[in-house]
Amino acid sequence: MEKILDNVGYDVDCNSHSSVVTKNYQHVLALAFAVKEINGNSQILPNTTLGFHIFDSYFVAKGTYHATLLLMSTAERFVPNYKCDTQNNLIAVIGGLDPLTSLHAATVLDIYKIPQLTYGPAPIMHDKTPGLSFYQMVPQEALQYEGILSLLLHFGWTWIGLLMMDLENGEQFVQKVVPMFSSSGICFAIIERVPKLTFITEAKDLLQECAKIHDKVMRSKANVIILYGESYAMLFFRWFPYLSEEEEMGEEARGKVWIMTAQMELTSVVYQRTWDTQIIHGALSFAIHSNSLPEFHKFLEHISPSTTNGDYFIKDFWQQAFACVLPSTVTNGVDQEICTGEENLEMLPTPFFEMSMTGHSYCIYNAVYAMAHAVHAMFSSRLNSRFMVDNRKLPFQNPQLWQVHHFLRSLSFNNSAGDKVSFNQKGELEAGLDIINWVVSPNQSFHKVKVGRMDPQTSSNQLFTFHEDAITWHKWFNQARPISLCSEKCNPGSSKKVKEGEPFCCYDCIPCPEGKISDKTDMSDCSTCSDQTYPNKNHDLCIPKEISFLSFEEPVGISLALSALSCSSVTVLVLLTFVKNHNTPIVKANNRQLSYTLLLSLLLCFLSALLFIGQPQKVTCILRQTAFGIVFSVAVSCVLAKTLTVVLAFMATKPGSRMRKWVGKRLANSIVLSCSLIQGGICIVWLAISPPLPEADIHSMAEQIILGCNEGSVTMFYCVLGFIGFLAIASFTLAFLARKLPDTFNEAKFITFSMLVFCSVWLSFVPTYLSTKGKYMVAVEIFSILASSAGLLACIFSPKCYIILLKPELNKREQLIRRTD
């Protein structure tokens, strides 16, 4: 194959006005190192030699256009649009750090379909055409946005500042990140644009404007500031500590956490050699991922003006970096130190030069290898497609520049450091970003500590990895995690209330209202506990509600149960006393069967109260009200029958009275039976329509779940009580009317008093029951049952027991029959 010399054009931004940015000289050396490695590798482009030309654009569009045209002409003659050199073929251009440099070069290169590989931010293309040949050797810009956001969220920094260069890329950065960050709960305390210096006469105005920005940034409560700018932005940022308009903002100025984007490097020009670098101590920056290349370090060790030929940058670099004059350039009257020849790159401080390959240099290194692999693939493809015609080999034609694009787009290889190099469909390098912590030493040197990674080629949960323990913060923070908040975090038990007229990150903390809690910090609103829980005193925790019901274990339950059993025992004793003395006149005087029935019903009334104690079950809920209603109806109907018997008996003693036929056991039994059947019918209807069922009341008491019985139909419940009340009033009325009958029938007086007690108890029950909550409602009903039953027992049977037990001489027929004169 014919030997071809391929020229790779390189547009390096080495100079900033009259001062050399010495650190960018590594970009030149990275290009030279990559070309040297490829030319020495027989596996890539055999029989082909790579060469290169380097031009400086000086950040000026005119310079960029001129340099681009020079790349496409011969070294000896400048003839635009003509190819005068058939030996050296231009196949690609590596653009500059400044996106405008790449954009200006692209307008010329695109005419000839020459690919351009850039290692700076992508230029903003307002009228970009699909064929514009950009290949970005840096990861896509959106990855930096995600990385900065992940960093802010990791540390909980929600009140930040943004400082950027007043350029198109800076405006695009603002338009992208402000809504993106705001949607994640981050607010911007300040957004400041640093004007770009265009003429030397504007320097004073620029410094005054920067001084105002400096004071505003340092006074801000935001401890985290994002810096976005081009590669030379750090030169302006180095002025920051010296620009304050306020005297007190000097060495004691508060520290900040600076977060810088990938295109920014700590660079210095000659006059900044002794400037303080403490302002960037503890800064975090995103850097283009790079790996160590030991051979590059060895390559740099042999770089010097005496050993390097054809490098037109090394003289200016060497003299400004080492602050000396090369002997070959010494003229009379030069009052500068002469270089001794003992200088080497390792002696330079980090802001002036680094011995390890920087991210930008790594991109240039990969760009050269990418072009070499693409051209190698193109040549291999053409070799495979040769064919024979009449046993003759067709001549090999030189490749066309537009053919290189196809091989670049499909490119994929591993470089010498083991990193994969390939492009996505947009022509962007598929690579990640490193997160770097800048640590400045007391002697003003600094070193970079890798503390994290943004790797889009891993799973989503490992996209952002970070090692917080490896970070060294600015001394102002005393090595504690910095806080950057507009308002202090709201503790659990309170919620945020945004201050009127301020960003949503600025708020007051208000306590949660009754019934609500917040169990996390910075809650936007307090939440309601579930039905089974309630807020604690601090309103930061939901506590399970206590299960509440009237049990046999608690004092009230025990007292009521003992009272019911005691009354039941007394009733049994009274019943036994009456059975033992069933033939005595006082027992037989008022229908002893009716007395037995009344005593048995009172016994059941006392025992029915026990159904109301204990955890409600379906059976107990059905039985408690129905049993209470029926047995009470039997008891009150017995009292009614007794009263009516007294009245009828008195009326039957009158001569010619027709009431004699009604006097007897038949009437009393009929009254008891009919009243009981009516009440039983009401209870059956109740159970058929809407029976009582167990329920858990979660609303009546804030801290308790009350287990009780839902009465089902409240109407039927009050019908049961109403019927008992009707019988009681009827009995009271008849007894009251018969109270003045002759002493022979004086039991009506005791019935009157017993009904008075009974009615008083149940009339007071209704308001008390309705005004009581929880298990004490049940206790009120039990008390009413026991009190009314005890009233009947005491008022009706205690006089008889008194005579039977203590005054047996009065228990004679002649004592009971008293005739009046």
Side-chain angles (χ1 to χ4, degrees), residues 681-736:
I682 295 174
C683 291
I684 290 172
V685 174
W686 184 6
L687 296 178
I689 295 175
S690 181
L693 293 172
E695 73 165 358
D697 183 2
I698 59 178
H699 300 295
S700 297
M701 303 289 285
E703 301 178 4
Q704 295 179 342
I705 297 178
I706 302 169
L707 300 183
C709 291
N710 186 326
E711 308 303 346
S713 175
V714 178
T715 303
M716 298 305 296
F717 172 66
Y718 284 108
C719 285
V720 170
L721 293 182
F723 184 71
I724 296 174
F726 167 74
L727 295 179
I729 292 172
S731 299
F732 174 75
T733 303
L734 287 176
F736 182 78

Side-chain angles (χ1 to χ4, degrees), residues 28 97 167 179 222-223 268 293 331 389 437 469 514 574 598 609 617-618 636 646 703 714 796 812:
V28 177
L97 270 175
L167 299 169
N223 287 326
S268 297
L293 294 172
T331 59
V389 176
N437 180 215
D469 295 339
E514 287 297 325
V574 172
L598 177 57
Q617 303 293 335
K618 185 175 181 180
V636 179
V646 171
E703 301 178 4
V714 178
I796 295 176
K812 296 180 180 179

Side-chain angles (χ1 to χ4, degrees), residues 194-256:
V194 179
K196 183 180 180 181
L197 180 64
T198 55
F199 299 100
I200 194 64
T201 54
E202 297 178 358
K204 182 178 180 182
D205 295 335
L206 175 63
L207 292 177
Q208 289 178 347
E209 184 66 24
C210 290
K212 295 178 181 178
I213 295 174
H214 169 270
D215 294 343
K216 190 173 181 180
V217 169
M218 302 311 291
R219 281 195 302 264
S220 172
K221 287 177 59 179
N223 287 326
V224 176
I225 307 295
I226 297 174
L227 286 178
Y228 184 89
E230 305 305 339
S231 58
Y232 55 84
M234 187 57 70
L235 301 177
F236 294 101
F237 184 61
R238 293 289 303 277
W239 281 88
F240 233 53
Y242 307 97
L243 294 179
S244 176
E245 292 183 339
E246 302 178 12
E247 295 182 1
E248 62 271 17
M249 285 193 177
E251 296 182 359
E252 300 300 323
R254 63 187 297 168
K256 299 288 183 181

